[in-house]
Amino acid sequence: MAVMSVPAMTSVIAIPLLAVQVVLLLLLLVRLMPGRTRRPPVQPVLEPRSDTSVTVVVATLNEARRIGPCLQGLMQQTSPMLEVLVVDSRSTDGTRELVQAASAKDPRIQLLTDDPLPEGWVGKVWALETGLRQARGEWVLGIDADTTPVPGLVGGVIAAVERDGFDVASFSPRFEGQTTGERFVQPAMLVTLVYRCGAAGATQPAPDRVLANGQCFVARRALLEQHGGYSSARASFSDDVTLARHLAARGARVGFLDGSDIYRVRSYASLGEMWREWGRSFDLKDATPVWRRWLDVVLVWSTQALPLPLVLLTAYGLLTAAPTASTRTVCEALLLVNASALLIRMMMLVALRESYVERGLAFWLSWLADIPAAIRLTISTMRTPRRWRGRSYAGLATGES
């Protein structure tokens, strides 16, 4: 039996890999191009106004350790904020008492209790739907309990959507209070979202690439009611993206803007919690067809996770081996492509730096966590969540397709 030579083996592996990487790197560049027209961070607007109104909805379930800064920030908002509806799912940790205390200081804050969770609904989405049914504002602004709104957040949100003519918009946060481990891994996981969905720009992407963030998500109340409220995302663990894409596909103008100057967020208590909780919905499975999710997995491995080891291996081979002319050409091309991918990755790190209150060495070395981030994305793509925030959803029919 003939034995394949080392140069031949190298070509058999390297040439297909090179072809795949070139195609996916070009695809990535196309996705990142809109970032050139990205709007600057939305600014707080403190001046009161009475020509529109906003209902803020906060969904809670045992959020006592996190909701205090959120309530304090909301109490500092002026009009157009009309009311804050805290929809609680029968918390037992003191959340309700904290909300009641805030309500005694600011009557705009109201504590509601949602009905028992209907079959086929995820808890947070049902709470948002409950809030929508009670809302009186022209706009409905969903705020997560783990956020810290700055004064002028509500005014800034409305000014931003009116400026660009959006019917729906969500806002990226500034992350604070992260552990060293989180600052090392979380930016790498965040970059995969940009690689998969594309950079936000002044123009709206295709509906199936719209990105959204439920931590700060605003929509016209009439539009939500016209399209079934939150029911389109009732079984979704990535309800923000599912809802935004549903509305975009029906003609709504949907924006994704930089909210790093209007609110901060401390989503998780540890790296382990982030790995579990965010990782469950990390692949956006309820908003993305199966084939596209797996294409995105391949793209993340090819353009984010593998370039560093391939640069090191290829450079080592070129320096220590004596390849043939054809093998050298392939290796040099592979080195160039992966070095280019690494350069893009470093540029992403610089672009994201203002999204973090604390950075430090862990943040600047987070590109070394690209392989764990790709592994987490792969695991998420392979599995369907069965538990979320203490609730079991074993029998839930998700939107996988």
Side-chain angles (χ1 to χ4, degrees):
M1 182 175 63
V3 178
M4 186 177 295
S5 66
V6 172
M9 290 178 63
T10 301
S11 297
V12 167
I13 297 171
I15 291 176
L17 177 61
L18 177 62
V20 169
Q21 284 195 299
V22 167
V23 171
L24 293 179
L25 188 60
L26 290 174
L27 174 60
L28 176 63
L29 288 172
V30 170
R31 289 184 180 177
L32 296 181
M33 287 293 282
R36 297 178 306 161
T37 61
R38 181 176 176 84
R39 297 286 194 185
V42 173
Q43 295 302 301
V45 175
L46 294 168
E47 183 178 355
R49 50 184 292 189
S50 58
D51 58 334
T52 189
S53 58
V54 178
T55 293
V56 175
V57 179
V58 184
T60 59
L61 174 60
N62 294 330
E63 295 285 2
R65 68 181 176 88
R66 302 193 292 186
I67 198 172
C70 179
L71 294 173
Q72 288 294 327
L74 291 174
M75 284 191 285
Q76 297 178 62
Q77 305 300 313
T78 58
S79 57
M81 191 180 83
L82 174 66
E83 58 189 352
V84 178
L85 305 181
V86 180
V87 185
D88 186 68
S89 300
R90 297 168 183 79
S91 295
T92 58
D93 68 339
T95 297
R96 299 176 66 85
E97 290 76 10
L98 290 173
V99 177
Q100 289 168 339
S103 180
K105 298 177 182 178
D106 188 337
R108 295 176 301 173
I109 298 176
Q110 305 171 44
L111 176 63
L112 305 179
T113 302
D114 54 7
D115 292 332
L117 187 63
E119 185 178 354
W121 284 76
V122 169
K124 178 187 176 182
V125 190
W126 176 240
L128 292 171
E129 176 69 16
T130 300
L132 172 63
R133 294 177 183 181
Q134 299 293 322
R136 295 181 292 130
E138 180 182 349
W139 296 88
V140 176
L141 172 60
I143 292 287
D144 277 4
D146 55 14
T147 64
T148 302
V150 307
L153 172 142
V154 174
V157 162
I158 298 305
V161 295
E162 289 180 342
R163 176 196 66 199
D164 290 320
F166 291 130
D167 304 300
V168 181
S170 58
F171 302 80
S172 62
R174 181 167 291 168
F175 301 98
E176 67 175 352
Q178 293 183 325
T179 64
T180 300
E182 287 176 278
R183 294 200 305 274
F184 181 63
V185 177
Q186 193 263 3
M189 295 174 70
L190 185 62
V191 166
T192 75
L193 271 178
V194 181
Y195 278 27
R196 290 179 282 146
C197 297
T203 58
Q204 179 174 317
D208 61 353
R209 284 294 170 190
V210 164
L211 186 60
N213 177 26
Q215 293 167 329
C216 184
F217 186 110
V218 69
R220 292 185 184 275
R221 178 165 62 89
L223 177 75
L224 286 173
E225 293 171 342
Q226 177 186 353
H227 293 289
Y230 292 89
S231 62
S232 63
R234 61 185 177 275
S236 176
F237 293 103
S238 51
D239 56 280
D240 43 9
V241 178
T242 300
L243 179 62
R245 291 180 179 179
H246 173 80
L247 295 173
R250 283 148 184 81
R253 279 187 49 77
V254 180
F256 187 77
L257 302 172
D258 185 344
S260 59
D261 285 347
I262 57 174
Y263 78 106
R264 296 181 178 184
V265 65
R266 175 70 174 103
S267 298
Y268 306 104
S270 65
L271 174 61
E273 185 182 26
M274 183 199 72
W275 185 267
R276 292 189 306 273
E277 297 295 332
W278 188 22
R280 287 190 179 101
S281 61
F282 189 42
D283 66 325
L284 308 179
K285 63 166 45 67
D286 305 316
T288 312
V290 172
W291 68 268
R292 188 166 296 227
R293 296 205 311 270
W294 282 109
L295 174 61
D296 286 342
V297 168
V298 175
L299 180 140
V300 166
W301 276 103
S302 296
T303 62
Q304 183 181 345
L306 292 180
L308 176 60
L310 286 176
V311 163
L312 296 176
L313 287 172
T314 307
Y316 178 79
L318 287 170
L319 290 173
T320 60
T324 64
S326 60
T327 302
R328 173 173 287 276
T329 299
V330 172
C331 290
E332 288 175 345
L334 199 61
L335 180 61
L336 176 62
V337 167
N338 284 279
S340 300
L342 269 181
L343 176 61
I344 294 171
R345 177 65 177 90
M346 298 306 168
M347 293 171 65
M348 286 296 306
L349 192 63
V350 173
L352 289 174
R353 70 189 186 282
E354 295 302 325
S355 294
Y356 294 83
V357 174
E358 307 95 1
R359 293 186 288 271
L361 186 62
F363 170 81
W364 293 111
L365 292 179
S366 60
W367 49 277
L368 294 173
D370 285 343
I371 289 179
I375 291 172
R376 190 63 185 96
L377 176 62
T378 305
I379 294 171
S380 180
T381 303
M382 294 171 62
R383 296 179 179 175
T384 299
R386 298 302 180 193
R387 292 191 62 82
W388 192 265
R389 297 291 187 183
R391 282 172 160 162
S392 175
Y393 296 101
L396 187 69
T398 65
E400 289 187 272
S401 59

